[in-house]
Amino acid sequence: GYEGEKGYHGTPSGIDNTAATFGGLLRFQRTDTDPIFLKKALKEPIRIVYASTGITASTTTVVGDVRAKKDADPEWFDALLQQYLEIVDKGEKAVEEGNMQDLGALMDKNHALLQQLTVSCKELDDLVDAARAAGAIGAKMSGTGRGGLMLALTPTEEIQNKVAEALQKIAPQVWRTSFS
C-alpha cells in the first residue's frame, strides 16, 4: 500500500510508490480495489528534461478545488475527462509505436487541459513555453500542479541539452534523464 502518502496527500494515487518500485515506463490505473499497472516496453530511449518551479502546493487543496469544479459543473468536467481519456489512449499508442512527435503533441494537449482545470500556474506555463521554444517536442506540468514540476520530451541528446540549458536560466532546479 501507500499508507505513508495519505497523511500528506490525503488521497494519493499510488503511482509514486509504484513507479519508484518498478522503474521504467508504467501504465497505471487507479481502481476501486487494487491499482492496475503494466510495465511498457519502448522502441527507443525517451529523453526527458524536468524543471521545478520551486513552488510547493498542497495536493489536498488542489484536489479539493478540482472536486469543487467537478461538482459545480459536471457536464464541463465530464467533457474535459473524455478529452483526457482520449489523450491517454493516443499517448499509449504513440509510446508503443515509438512515435515521439505524436507523444509530444499529446503532452501539449494535456497541458492545455490542465490549464482549463486550473491546476497549472504562470510559473509552470513559463517553463513549458521555454522548453518548447528551446526545441522540446512536447511539454506539460506534472504532479499536483500550481507549482512543482514540468517535463519536456526531447528527441535527441543534443536537444535535451539545449532545453535543459534554457530551463536552467529560469528554473531553480533542472534534471535530465532518459529511460528505455
Side-chain angles (χ1 to χ4, degrees):
Y2 37 93
E3 296 299 317
E5 286 187 88
K6 289 182 179 177
Y8 181 77
H9 292 300
T11 54
S13 66
I15 186 63
D16 294 340
N17 287 1
T18 304
T21 301
F22 294 97
L25 184 65
L26 300 172
R27 182 185 193 284
F28 178 90
Q29 182 177 349
R30 188 172 171 179
T31 69
D32 291 335
T33 58
D34 292 331
I36 299 168
F37 65 91
L38 302 169
K39 193 158 182 171
K40 304 300 274 184
L42 300 172
K43 290 190 174 193
E44 61 184 70
I46 292 181
R47 293 171 187 84
I48 300 287
V49 178
Y50 288 96
S52 174
T53 61
I55 300 167
T56 302
S58 164
T59 301
T60 303
T61 299
V62 175
V63 169
D65 291 349
V66 169
R67 187 171 291 121
K69 288 183 77 63
K70 176 183 176 184
D71 292 345
D73 192 347
E75 288 182 14
W76 170 83
F77 187 87
D78 288 345
L80 193 86
L81 180 60
Q82 287 308 309
Q83 292 176 64
Y84 173 78
L85 293 173
E86 287 177 26
I87 288 171
V88 170
D89 288 341
K90 289 177 182 178
E92 188 171 7
K93 182 178 177 188
V95 167
E96 290 168 353
E97 294 173 352
N99 188 335
M100 295 300 106
Q101 292 295 324
D102 280 359
L103 182 61
L106 292 164
M107 289 172 65
D108 292 342
K109 287 181 181 179
N110 180 258
H111 186 74
L113 292 180
L114 294 165
Q115 288 171 316
Q116 291 177 48
L117 201 53
T118 72
V119 296
S120 192
C121 62
K122 180 185 183 318
E123 294 83 356
L124 282 167
D125 294 342
D126 289 347
L127 292 174
V128 165
D129 291 343
R132 291 173 183 157
I137 56 176
K140 64 179 290 299
M141 60 156 279
S142 178
T144 298
R146 296 189 188 157
L149 302 174
M150 61 74 65
L151 67 137
L153 181 63
T154 56
T156 66
E157 187 175 350
E158 179 183 342
I159 293 174
Q160 183 183 40
N161 291 334
K162 186 177 173 186
V163 169
E165 289 168 13
L167 291 171
Q168 286 168 341
K169 294 175 184 174
I170 60 172
Q173 292 180 294
V174 176
W175 305 268
R176 287 170 252 214
T177 192
S178 64
F179 48 93
S180 51

